[in-house]
Amino acid sequence: MMNVPTLNRIQRDDPILTHLLMCEPPTTVSRQGSHFGTAYIDNDSIRLKSICDSIGKNSHLEDICFDTPNGLCDAVAKSEIFEGLKHNNSINSLGLSRCYLASEGVAHEVLKAYEENYKHLVKFAIWRCAIRNGGIRSLASTLSRCIRLTEISLSSCHITDSMVEDIVQAVRGHAELKTLVLRDNDIRKGGCEWLSILLQDPKCNLVNLDLHNNM
């Protein structure tokens, strides 16, 4: 099922539409205002590709978030479906919510697209995502390319000490990074030691490191 009015707004490059939520129905995420749009997606690869292609031609979208808790799209997720994301020049904020982050699937393909189209991203967030089967490598690979990021939020994803090592290695040298949120994870002493290494890096300009509610 596709939210046709939102798709039409994307296709005609509506200047008021700046924030887009792509989600599987039903969703508990609520966004209000004419600058917000919701596109409901499922396992129809043709329609999913259509909206991604339209996003690629859009010049007013600034924020996009994928919310796929049921994994309906994961079965059809292939790189060619998300090709349009590589051609968008206006989106500067990317979010993944309640996704399965592995070596395949929607989250993996979205990250791959922004590993190539990285120059415009300044904000990146994942929330309540299950990271498994190579997912941390996909995440780290994309983070390492996104050198203009000022804010990274990775919360409620059961991130462990070994994952923190991958994250730190990915963002070392990102001089524009000011905020790193790692709250509500499983980070212990080992992860904190890696974060200490990051903070001691001469190129590190972090001013906000959030580690609330870790083990």
Side-chain angles (χ1 to χ4, degrees), residues 136 139 143 154 159 163-171 182:
I136 189 62
L139 174 61
L143 288 178
L154 313 172
I159 291 173
M163 294 179 185
V164 172
E165 177 181 354
D166 290 315
I167 294 166
V168 167
Q169 297 284 22
V171 302
L182 294 166

Side-chain angles (χ1 to χ4, degrees), residues 164-181:
V164 172
E165 177 181 354
D166 290 315
I167 294 166
V168 167
Q169 297 284 22
V171 302
R172 288 186 73 176
H174 287 20
E176 297 185 38
L177 184 62
K178 298 294 190 294
T179 297
L180 178 58
V181 178

Side-chain angles (χ1 to χ4, degrees), residues 32-118:
Q32 304 294 326
S34 58
H35 57 297
F36 287 113
T38 300
Y40 294 108
I41 54 178
D42 51 26
N43 59 356
D44 189 324
S45 59
I46 295 176
R47 286 187 291 191
L48 183 56
K49 185 177 188 303
S50 175
I51 193 169
C52 287
D53 288 345
S54 298
I55 290 170
K57 300 172 184 176
N58 188 283
S59 62
H60 291 95
L61 284 171
E62 299 174 6
D63 176 281
I64 187 170
C65 180
F66 291 81
D67 181 57
T68 58
N70 302 313
L72 296 177
C73 304
D74 288 334
V76 298
K78 298 183 183 301
S79 58
E80 57 266 25
I81 293 176
F82 299 90
E83 185 71 22
L85 300 181
K86 301 177 184 179
H87 306 294
N88 176 276
N89 295 322
S90 60
I91 293 172
N92 56 53
S93 178
L94 171 65
L96 299 172
S97 171
R98 304 187 299 172
C99 298
Y100 293 97
L101 179 48
S103 58
E104 58 185 7
V106 170
H108 173 72
E109 295 300 339
V110 171
L111 288 175
K112 278 177 57 180
Y114 280 97
E115 187 174 348
E116 293 188 34
N117 186 16
Y118 61 89

